[in-house]
Amino acid sequence: MKSSFLMTPGPTQVPSQVSLAMAQEIIHHRVPAFGALLKDITEKLQYVFQTQNDVLVFPGAGTGAMEGAIVNFFSPGDKVAFGIIGEFGSRWAKIAEIFGLQPIRLGGEWGKAVTAQDIDLLLSSEAGKDVKGVFITHNETSTGVYSDLKSIGEVCQKHNVLYLVDAVSSLVAIDCKTDLWGIDVVITASQKALMTPPGLCFFSVSKKGWEYNQEAKCPRYYWDLANALKSLKKPTPENPYTPAVTLLFGLNEALNMIKQEGLENVFKRHLQLSKMFRTGVEALGLELMVKDEKIASPAVTSIMIPEGIEAGKITGFFRNNGIVIAGGQGQLKGRIIRVGHLGYVDAFDISNTLITLGRAFKSQGKALNTEAALNKAWEVYEHE
Ligand code: PLP
């Protein structure tokens, strides 16, 4: 018998409380009990999104929400800007292109961040004239870099453009003050720090977002957010189509757990565990891909694969030993491995991952100092 413990940047481990909640009998989605559940969940989602804006939930993958965030607010021909620091920013710009928007791609160097200054420069230039929206990936899961949403928000407000954030792998793991930082649209999905299985995605939409929505001409049916809002505002709240009721039972329990821990404490835990892990990785003698602490993600860490070692052998060793980690994506395939430390994760999970890293490299003929790594990692954990 083998476990397959998830230390991937999504899907993540699901707490047993959440699984148990999903074991309950299904209810119909056009009855008052479902309305009460949806209302309760929506209020808790506003807490984790840190917003008074409308929050909508759909059955779907994060990529569905990426598409929804384009078709609901823009029209073919609209000029929009994307901060691209990895796979997911690239994907978002591609979706925009498919719907006939004109994306301007900023950045492009994987492992670096796009800054508020980069965006300000673009929006102040001739090329950036008439840009209607700025799209930012909060946590670039393919590299382990995160963006400074607050300062980018100030620039978006200065230039009066719609500000859209992909928080799929960051919401709840990394602070995202939707209202305070002026973020008009935030999207996320269930299978990351929300500790729920894959299958739900979410949108928060500001007043300005709804104004854009009224003008937006991109075709949409399933992802029609205005239609979803109408259903949510009924005396008995509902979804326009059949919702993923079982996943919503689980999500409700996960949100209870997050509320109980307190959002600030959840952020602190992620930061503490990422520092613990980064310290351990360096003490093992491995190279972190993102060296700058200021942009290093509290949710996912990328580790460079040394010359002569096959990345697939390392991820394979992990799998055979009951832990799943991820390889590199796109241009980083074979060059890095990625460890997710988000959601339902604690210091023992980090410690076990460091031990397994040591064993995996040893199996490939590269001896690492696991004992030193564990000592340093736990020291950081205790002092953070
Ligand atoms: N955006 C980011 C930052 C992600 O990490 C992911 C998935 O890992 C997605 C979007 C796409 O989500 P999904 O795989 O659920 O479509």
Side-chain angles (χ1 to χ4, degrees):
M1 201 187 302
K2 262 198 191 136
S3 79
S4 57
F5 194 86
L6 300 176
M7 290 297 289
T8 52
T12 61
Q13 282 296 116
V14 173
S16 52
Q17 296 95 307
V18 173
S19 300
L20 278 171
M22 292 189 297
Q24 65 191 285
E25 212 166 273
I26 190 91
I27 58 170
H28 197 271
H29 56 282
R30 305 284 180 223
V31 301
F34 181 77
L37 174 72
L38 189 57
K39 183 169 181 289
D40 190 17
I41 284 178
T42 305
E43 283 166 9
K44 288 174 195 158
L45 284 171
Q46 285 175 316
Y47 167 72
V48 295
F49 275 79
Q50 304 187 66
T51 189
Q52 296 300 313
N53 292 337
D54 300 305
V55 181
L56 299 160
V57 51
F58 276 71
T63 306
M66 294 168 98
E67 179 170 323
I70 286 165
V71 298
N72 277 280
F73 306 106
F74 298 99
S75 305
D78 280 351
K79 219 196 251 184
V80 284
F82 285 83
I84 297 185
I85 51 174
E87 176 71 19
F88 293 101
S90 292
R91 183 183 299 181
W92 220 2
K94 194 166 159 194
I95 299 171
E97 218 157 48
I98 286 169
F99 282 94
L101 277 62
Q102 293 182 54
I104 300 174
R105 293 169 166 88
L106 273 175
E109 205 179 331
W110 291 30
K112 295 260 157 36
V114 165
T115 64
Q117 203 185 4
D118 297 331
I119 292 159
D120 196 20
L121 265 177
L122 171 76
L123 297 180
S124 309
S125 72
E126 194 52 33
K129 227 175 113 220
D130 304 327
V131 162
K132 292 183 73 177
V134 168
F135 292 75
I136 297 294
T137 312
H138 188 196
N139 181 62
E140 184 42 82
T141 324
S142 61
T143 61
V145 166
Y146 82 104
S147 310
D148 178 356
L149 294 185
K150 180 172 185 268
S151 60
I152 296 173
E154 284 159 11
V155 170
C156 288
Q157 273 178 348
K158 173 178 149 194
H159 293 277
N160 194 28
V161 295
L162 202 71
Y163 182 21
L164 305 97
V165 169
D166 169 350
V168 168
S169 62
S170 57
L171 201 91
V172 174
I174 311 175
D175 199 2
C176 175
K177 296 194 193 306
T178 303
D179 289 356
L180 206 61
W181 298 343
I183 313 171
D184 295 298
V185 177
V186 178
I187 58 164
T188 194
S190 52
Q191 74 273 23
K192 311 269 182 182
L194 283 171
M195 309 186 292
T196 305
L200 296 173
C201 65
F202 310 86
F203 301 83
S204 81
V205 183
S206 71
K207 189 164 165 278
K208 185 167 160 187
W210 290 119
E211 286 163 13
Y212 267 59
N213 175 261
Q214 296 212 322
E215 306 297 320
K217 303 273 185 307
C218 278
R220 52 191 181 267
Y221 186 89
Y222 182 76
W223 294 116
D224 186 340
L225 297 185
N227 192 34
L229 184 67
K230 226 185 320 163
S231 295
L232 186 66
K233 297 280 181 195
K234 284 182 180 174
T236 301
E238 56 182 33
N239 296 117
Y241 319 114
T242 311
V245 177
T246 302
L247 289 175
L248 292 171
F249 284 147
L251 174 73
N252 194 28
E253 190 50 43
L255 291 169
N256 288 341
M257 289 174 70
I258 292 163
K259 273 195 92 169
Q260 198 176 7
E261 186 176 355
L263 204 48
E264 286 304 321
N265 292 330
V266 179
F267 296 144
K268 270 193 214 146
R269 172 167 54 86
H270 281 85
L271 206 56
Q272 182 187 29
L273 294 178
S274 71
K275 284 189 179 163
M276 176 184 181
F277 188 60
R278 285 171 62 81
T279 302
V281 168
E282 286 198 301
L284 277 171
L286 294 170
E287 187 186 348
L288 294 166
M289 180 181 155
V290 181
K291 293 175 186 69
D292 182 354
E293 285 276 336
K294 289 198 293 293
I295 58 167
S297 166
V300 50
T301 296
S302 298
I303 302 165
M304 301 304 297
I305 291 294
E307 204 64 41
I309 303 273
E310 250 183 80
K313 292 263 165 60
I314 302 297
T315 51
F317 183 93
F318 265 84
R319 240 184 352 264
N320 290 335
N321 284 273
I323 304 180
V324 186
I325 61 167
Q329 291 174 291
Q331 57 181 259
L332 292 171
K333 201 170 166 55
R335 292 176 49 209
I336 59 167
I337 50 174
R338 293 173 302 139
V339 172
H341 30 78
L342 69 167
Y344 192 49
V345 61
D346 68 14
F348 288 102
D349 304 330
I350 299 291
S351 189
N352 281 340
T353 307
L354 289 169
I355 293 169
T356 312
L357 265 177
R359 291 177 56 223
F361 277 90
K362 191 171 170 208
S363 77
Q364 297 306 301
K366 188 171 171 61
L368 304 176
N369 194 344
T370 306
E371 196 182 328
L374 289 177
N375 285 337
K376 285 205 170 155
W378 279 105
E379 212 173 284
V380 164
Y381 177 75
E382 276 150 19
H383 289 101
E384 269 300 316

